[in-house]
Amino acid sequence: MQTLLDAGQQRGLAGATLTTDNMAAFNAIFYATLGFNIVEGHARPPHLVSLIAEETAMGFNPTRRVAMWATF
């Protein structure tokens, strides 16, 4: 994951986003060590809102999904 983040930073990207399961104790904590922060509600960018909606349509429990964002 760090290699991917480094490559994005070298390419001049502003940051990275992801969604994960907030009930798996290690997920959000791990991503936080890499600089990701949880974004909720109106702070979520549209692409993360759409991604969580797609995950929900695929059967993921929306109450277990969390969006995270890291800036470079």
Side-chain angles (χ1 to χ4, degrees), residues 6 16-17 19 21-22 25 28 49 53 55 57 70-71:
D6 291 344
T17 60
T19 62
D21 186 329
N22 66 3
V49 173
E55 292 171 343
T71 55

Side-chain angles (χ1 to χ4, degrees), residues 20-44:
T20 191
D21 186 329
N22 66 3
M23 299 296 281
F26 56 87
N27 284 6
I29 293 169
F30 167 73
Y31 291 121
T33 67
L34 298 173
F36 285 86
N37 295 297
I38 294 173
V39 288
E40 299 177 305
H42 295 296
R44 285 183 183 167

Side-chain angles (χ1 to χ4, degrees), residues 39-57:
V39 288
E40 299 177 305
H42 295 296
R44 285 183 183 167
H47 74 278
L48 286 177
V49 173
S50 295
L51 181 55
I52 289 178
E54 290 173 20
E55 292 171 343
T56 300

